[in-house]
């Protein structure tokens, strides 16, 4: 068993998939991992989820892309080696890595354990690490990560189930945890968009005891929402009658739509003092009428992924509540097809790539 990591500076070549340009097409790519520092862990990647923001990024639609770019920020791996000062993990542990791998450590956000809002937060891929190297994501055979930015996978949580919780799960959990301990006898929740994050939102809100209404553009997922996810109501946003019937009925709406959409109709669904919580990333500005906020004392807020503390919490929450997310496991040679299907909303509800079980060039 090695505990010295790669502190000697020996290069590690790994294989993965990378986008070379804004077409977003992924192809085999070999690259060198950064050197392992004293507080770093070296892990073998087992699984990695596919997130809609991966598609935005590889197409250079958000955060100017630096190519070649290896995406993937819902990473589950096995610790293979430890830096000399690592105390949080041991060799053989299953760990998760989400959207960030570094931050400044000194600002008010970092000191308040909400490092995802640090102005110098380092993304898991398409970021620049402290040593000047470009970060690359989990569509690769291995990673080097600082121990602070990895979480422990609970023993009772299958590795493939853990992967989508590291972004989609914590993205829904972080804004919803504010309602834990609420004195209201019943909280009426709205989940807007039933995709990867949306289906997590339904599961989490139900587990918190909320009355959950799914809001979707069509009724294609209505049966699944009721029978599999346990939703209490379903509203088709294109159906004027259904939308009018739901007016003023919701305490909050978790807006998970990762595309341009009008906010007007959804604000009308909120009760007095209701909240519209934005977690979906749109590549274009969203519009709303301010009078709809002012006259009902309604709120629009945003939430970005979750902290490292919250990421561990959602993993433990999944085990405690006996939850199971809906995933489709694919191999690396299917990833480009998976992105095409995801863009067509043809997945129930999250792709997870079996990295360790795939052939890598």
């Amino acid at each position: 068993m090695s505990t010295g990591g790669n502190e000697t500076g020996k290069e590690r070549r790994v294989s993965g998939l990378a986008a070379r340009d804004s077409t977003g097409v992924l192809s085999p790519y070999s690259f060198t991992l950064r050197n392992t520092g004293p507080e770093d862990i070296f892990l073998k990647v087992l699984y990695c989820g596919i997130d809609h923001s991966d598609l935005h990024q590889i197409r250079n639609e958000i955060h100017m892309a630096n190519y070649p770019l290896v995406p993937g920020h819902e990473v589950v791996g096995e610790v293979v080696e430890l830096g000399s000062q690592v105390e949080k993990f041991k060799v053989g542990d299953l760990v998760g890595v989400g959207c960030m791998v570094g931050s400044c450590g000194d600002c008010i956000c970092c000191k308040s354990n909400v490092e995802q809002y640090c102005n110098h937060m380092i993304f898991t891929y398409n970021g620049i690490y402290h040593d000047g190297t470009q970060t690359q994501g989990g569509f690769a055979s291995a990673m080097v990560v600082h121990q602070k930015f990895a979480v422990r996978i609970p023993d009772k949580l299958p590795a493939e189930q853990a992967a989508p919780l590291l972004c989609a799960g914590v993205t829904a959990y972080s804004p919803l945890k504010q309602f834990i301990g609420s004195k209201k006898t019943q909280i009426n929740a709205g989940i807007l968009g039933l995709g990867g994050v949306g289906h997590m939102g339904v599961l989490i809100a139900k587990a918190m005891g909320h009355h959950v209404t799914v809001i979707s553009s069509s009724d294609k997922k209505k049966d699944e929402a009721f029978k599999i996810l346990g939703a209490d109501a379903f509203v088709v946003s294109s159906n004027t009658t259904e939308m009018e019937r739901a007016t003023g009925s919701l305490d909050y709406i978790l807006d998970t739509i990762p595309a341009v959409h009008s906010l007007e109709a959804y604000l009308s669904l909120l009760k007095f003092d209701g909240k519209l919580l934005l977690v979906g990333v749109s590549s274009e500005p969203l519009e709303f009428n301010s009078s709809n906020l002012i006259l009902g004392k309604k709120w629009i807020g945003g939430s970005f992924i979750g902290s490292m503390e919250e990421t561990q919490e959602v993993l433990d929450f999944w085990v405690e509540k006996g939850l199971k997310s809906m995933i489709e496991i694919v191999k690396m040679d299917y990833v480009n097809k998976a992105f095409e299907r995801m863009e067509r909303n043809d997945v129930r509800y999250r792709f997870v790539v079996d990295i360790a079980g795939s052939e890598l060039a």
Side-chain angles (χ1 to χ4, degrees):
M1 180 180 75
S2 173
T3 58
N6 194 35
E7 296 170 53
T8 60
K10 181 181 178 181
E11 286 190 350
R12 279 199 174 98
R13 297 290 293 179
V14 297
S15 299
L17 294 178
R20 264 55 176 215
D21 53 43
S22 60
T23 63
V25 176
L26 301 180
S27 57
Y29 178 57
S30 178
F31 62 100
T32 302
L33 290 177
R34 67 175 178 82
N35 291 337
T36 311
E39 291 194 67
D40 289 332
I41 58 175
F42 174 70
L43 59 95
K44 173 186 177 182
V45 177
L46 303 179
Y47 293 96
C48 188
I50 298 180
D51 185 75
H52 208 285
S53 62
D54 294 328
L55 186 61
H56 284 314
Q57 186 63 87
I58 61 178
R59 291 181 175 176
N60 198 29
E61 294 173 346
I62 55 173
H63 310 304
M64 184 178 293
N66 294 306
Y67 300 106
L69 190 156
V70 179
H73 58 236
E74 295 181 335
V75 188
V76 175
E78 178 184 351
V79 177
V80 177
E81 292 184 4
L82 307 173
S84 58
Q85 296 178 25
V86 173
E87 298 180 351
K88 186 176 177 181
F89 303 107
K90 64 181 186 301
V91 170
D93 282 348
L94 282 185
V95 299
V97 180
C99 298
M100 53 185 165
V101 293
S103 66
C104 77
D106 294 321
C107 69
I108 185 63
C109 293
C110 289
K111 291 181 177 180
S112 301
N113 293 323
V114 285
E115 53 281 309
Q116 73 271 33
Y117 298 113
C118 171
N119 288 331
H120 301 286
M121 187 270 283
I122 302 171
F123 285 104
T124 300
Y125 64 85
N126 199 49
I128 302 298
Y129 201 67
H130 299 300
D131 61 3
T133 59
Q134 181 176 337
T135 60
Q136 301 287 14
F139 287 12
S141 56
M143 291 183 74
V144 173
V145 184
H146 190 284
Q147 63 175 340
K148 174 179 172 58
F149 292 91
V151 291
R152 187 178 305 279
I153 306 300
D155 292 339
K156 294 182 179 180
L157 184 61
E160 66 274 16
Q161 277 282 315
L165 299 179
L166 299 167
C167 175
V170 74
T171 294
Y173 176 84
S174 182
L176 297 192
K177 67 177 287 188
Q178 66 181 284
F179 300 104
I180 295 176
S182 172
K183 295 180 180 179
K184 286 189 176 182
T185 56
Q186 178 175 285
I187 294 177
N188 293 314
I191 306 297
L192 176 55
L194 196 54
V197 177
H199 105 283
M200 295 287 188
V202 175
L203 293 171
I204 292 168
K206 283 296 297 181
M208 290 179 175
H210 301 176
H211 181 279
V212 177
T213 297
V214 171
I215 309 163
S216 185
S217 59
S218 74
D219 62 1
K220 293 179 181 178
K221 300 177 182 179
K222 187 173 184 178
D223 285 346
E224 294 171 8
F226 284 125
K227 297 176 182 179
I228 299 176
L229 301 177
D232 301 291
F234 194 98
V235 172
V236 178
S237 58
S238 58
N239 187 312
T240 303
T241 301
E242 291 187 14
M243 289 290 284
E244 289 179 351
R245 191 181 301 132
T247 297
S249 65
L250 304 174
D251 292 295
Y252 71 82
I253 296 173
L254 183 71
D255 184 345
T256 72
I257 298 177
V260 178
H261 59 289
S262 173
L263 302 182
E264 287 298 301
Y266 307 114
L267 288 171
S268 70
L269 303 184
L270 293 173
K271 296 179 180 181
F272 167 79
D273 208 23
K275 298 180 179 181
L276 180 61
L277 307 168
L278 301 175
V279 295
V281 178
S282 170
S283 58
E284 300 288 341
L286 303 181
E287 295 183 356
F288 63 92
N289 189 328
S290 60
S291 64
N292 288 335
L293 298 182
I294 295 168
L295 296 177
K297 196 188 175 186
K298 298 176 183 179
W299 308 87
I300 295 178
S303 179
F304 180 53
I305 53 175
S307 66
M308 296 311 302
E309 185 177 275
E310 289 169 332
T311 304
Q312 187 66 64
E313 285 178 15
V314 75
L315 294 170
D316 295 337
F317 181 85
W318 228 247
V319 174
E320 176 192 348
K321 300 296 184 180
L323 301 180
K324 185 176 182 180
S325 50
M326 293 180 65
I327 61 174
E328 181 178 338
I329 300 175
V330 299
K331 296 295 180 67
M332 291 280 270
D333 59 5
Y334 192 80
V335 166
N336 286 311
K337 181 68 174 179
F339 274 117
E340 292 175 8
R341 285 181 53 196
M342 185 178 66
E343 192 171 24
R344 298 195 305 267
N345 202 20
D346 178 27
V347 55
R348 299 294 193 272
Y349 282 94
R350 198 72 164 182
F351 283 116
V352 174
V353 185
D354 179 2
I355 306 291
S358 299
E359 293 290 332
L360 292 172

